Amino acid sequence: RSRPRLPGLLKCPVFVNDYIQLNAFLNDFFIKENEEKIDFINTLSFEKIPSKCIKYKIMPIFEQLIVANLERDLILAILPKLFEIQAKIVTSKEEFAELKMNKLVLKLFELGDRAVRANLLSNLPSLLSTNYLKSDEISSIFDSVCSGFSDTHSKMREITLKANLDLLPLLSPPKVEKLMRYLIKLAGDEEASIRVNSAIFLGSICEFLNSFQISKFVIPALNKLTSDNFIPARLNALLTYNKISEKFAEDRDTIASKILPAISLKLVDVDAAVQHKAFDVLDVYVGILRRNLPPLEEMTSSLDIDCSNAIPKSNEAAIMRIEKSDKVDDEDRQGVALKLSLSMDDENFGDGWDDF
């Protein structure tokens, strides 16, 4: 009998299965039409695909597409699959680096496409929770993310703001200060929701700032937010003041000169909720001042001084001259009054009204 031909043999049900079809498509991937590629990527399910196939066949294709950055739709199709691989397949930092996931993520963050950036930011919490990224890689991601603060699209600025909440605990002090400056700028954003979120974020970032930074940068921004025409912005600024109150436990001057004046204006706010919260926050800061108030006995004892000893001897002669002058003036006034009364009696002054 003659040997069966390959085309006929491949039609045998034994060789017709999903895995063989997957490999056949992967082999011809780059000669397929874009619509076919996108459909293929969207239908990928990694539960039944061997890890070696993902590592040596699928990930290299993804890497070429991301580095080339030729087709935006292909990149957007790859993104969710990339994070699906990270969540279901990767189990260690070494495997994460072996699949070049860190390099691909950094490359994706460098792309200027808004849809790609929004997708990355929405998946950033799950990526950071794995602790697979190194500190320098996180720093690089942060620098790329910060470009979203200057985006002309308000939704992009808001997404960027929320994404930085997850980055904040992983940032170095210089990066935290850089983020703080962006937040202060967003406190005056034209979009009301962004101003509200910046007020909330300022309360979180204060945990990583010293008292000088808070007093110099954060307090002016919060004071500006307490005067915002949007009620939730004013309310959240007061809530942030309440949250950071213990930062000023030893700084009574800042409380008295910067914080209390701004809060006091809100005691007569047009909104009742703002008024009530202002009274609550005012009580907190007044309580801090009262807690650090020196005892009354110490204050009175410091004032208990012999006043006679407090007057310099060089001034005693001048004081005696003033007292003598006052005594002479009193005697002169009494003499003038006596002479005037005698003259009035002698001339019968009471009958002289007709002369005027």
Side-chain angles (χ1 to χ4, degrees):
R1 298 179 62 181
S2 62
R3 179 178 295 179
R5 294 183 178 181
L6 185 60
L9 184 62
L10 293 176
K11 292 179 181 179
C12 178
V14 176
F15 299 104
V16 179
N17 58 59
D18 294 339
Y19 183 62
I20 291 178
Q21 291 178 352
L22 169 70
N23 279 277
F25 193 97
L26 291 173
N27 291 333
D28 301 331
F29 185 87
F30 289 101
I31 62 173
K32 301 286 185 180
E33 296 292 332
N34 280 343
E35 291 76 9
E36 293 181 274
K37 295 177 183 177
I38 293 172
D39 290 340
F40 171 76
I41 293 172
N42 288 333
T43 56
L44 278 176
S45 177
F46 299 108
E47 295 179 354
K48 296 181 180 180
I49 301 176
S51 59
K52 288 187 177 181
C53 180
I54 295 173
K55 181 177 179 181
Y56 296 110
K57 301 198 76 171
I58 296 178
M59 284 300 296
I61 291 174
F62 283 0
E63 181 182 1
Q64 291 184 53
L65 292 173
I66 292 172
V67 172
N69 188 26
L70 298 176
E71 292 293 335
R72 173 178 180 270
D73 293 337
L74 278 173
I75 300 294
L76 290 174
I78 288 172
L79 271 173
K81 298 302 177 181
L82 195 65
F83 286 106
E84 188 177 342
I85 292 173
Q86 176 259 314
K88 295 183 177 181
I89 307 301
V90 179
T91 57
S92 65
K93 185 180 293 186
E94 292 75 17
E95 193 172 4
F96 186 82
E98 189 179 1
L99 291 174
K100 299 181 180 179
M101 294 282 288
N102 50 349
K103 295 181 179 179
L104 294 181
V105 169
L106 293 177
K107 181 65 179 178
L108 286 167
F109 269 107
E110 293 175 2
L111 303 180
D113 189 89
R114 282 176 178 162
V116 174
R117 178 65 59 82
N119 197 308
L120 285 169
L121 293 178
S122 63
N123 287 283
L124 188 59
S126 62
L127 180 64
L128 295 175
S129 63
T130 60
N131 296 322
Y132 293 157
L133 292 169
K134 300 177 182 178
S135 58
D136 59 327
E137 293 169 344
I138 292 174
S139 179
S140 178
I141 288 174
F142 171 75
D143 291 335
S144 299
V145 169
C146 284
S147 63
F149 286 126
S150 304
D151 199 287
T152 56
H153 199 285
S154 60
K155 193 65 178 177
M156 199 68 222
R157 296 197 300 274
E158 188 169 1
I159 294 174
T160 303
L161 180 62
K162 293 179 179 178
N164 273 279
L165 276 171
D166 299 288
L167 277 170
L168 179 59
L170 306 174
L171 298 178
S172 62
K175 299 296 183 183
V176 171
E177 185 171 350
K178 181 180 179 181
L179 177 58
M180 175 195 66
R181 295 179 184 274
Y182 279 114
L183 292 178
I184 293 170
K185 182 180 178 181
L186 290 179
D189 195 273
E190 60 183 14
E191 196 69 27
S193 60
I194 294 178
R195 298 198 301 272
V196 172
N197 285 325
S198 66
I200 297 170
F201 204 146
L202 283 170
S204 299
I205 201 172
C206 283
E207 299 178 14
F208 304 90
L209 300 175
N210 57 46
S211 57
F212 172 78
Q213 291 172 315
I214 297 173
S215 178
K216 185 176 181 180
F217 300 107
V218 177
I219 296 303
L222 288 176
N223 287 348
K224 184 177 180 180
L225 286 165
T226 56
S227 302
D228 198 283
N229 57 4
F230 191 50
I231 293 174
R234 300 200 299 272
L235 196 58
N236 279 283
L238 290 171
L239 289 170
T240 299
Y241 265 131
N242 193 32
K243 183 176 181 179
I244 66 174
S245 59
E246 287 304 319
K247 288 284 185 176
F248 301 95
E250 304 298 330
D251 191 357
R252 303 173 72 230
D253 291 338
T254 299
I255 294 176
S257 62
K258 295 183 179 181
I259 299 177
L260 290 184
I263 298 174
S264 298
L265 292 174
K266 299 300 106 184
L267 299 176
V268 290
D269 195 88
V270 294
D271 185 74
V274 175
Q275 290 184 33
H276 283 277
K277 182 50 65 177
F279 273 100
D280 293 341
V281 178
L282 189 70
D283 290 341
V284 171
Y285 281 96
V286 171
I288 294 175
L289 293 178
R290 190 179 297 277
R291 189 173 64 202
N292 295 321
L293 188 67
L296 188 59
E297 292 77 9
E298 294 182 9
M299 298 177 65
T300 54
S301 62
S302 63
L303 296 174
D304 189 13
I305 304 173
D306 186 357
C307 295
S308 61
N309 295 331
I311 301 175
K313 293 183 178 180
S314 60
N315 295 335
E316 288 182 358
I319 294 172
M320 291 176 65
R321 287 197 298 269
I322 293 172
E323 291 176 349
K324 183 178 180 180
S325 176
D326 290 343
K327 183 177 180 181
V328 171
D329 290 343
D330 290 341
E331 292 176 352
D332 291 343
R333 283 194 292 269
Q334 291 175 5
V336 171
L338 178 60
K339 291 178 182 179
L340 181 60
S341 65
L342 291 173
S343 63
M344 289 173 65
D345 290 341
D346 293 341
E347 297 176 3
N348 195 13
F349 192 74
D351 298 329
W353 286 103
D354 294 335
D355 296 336
F356 292 96

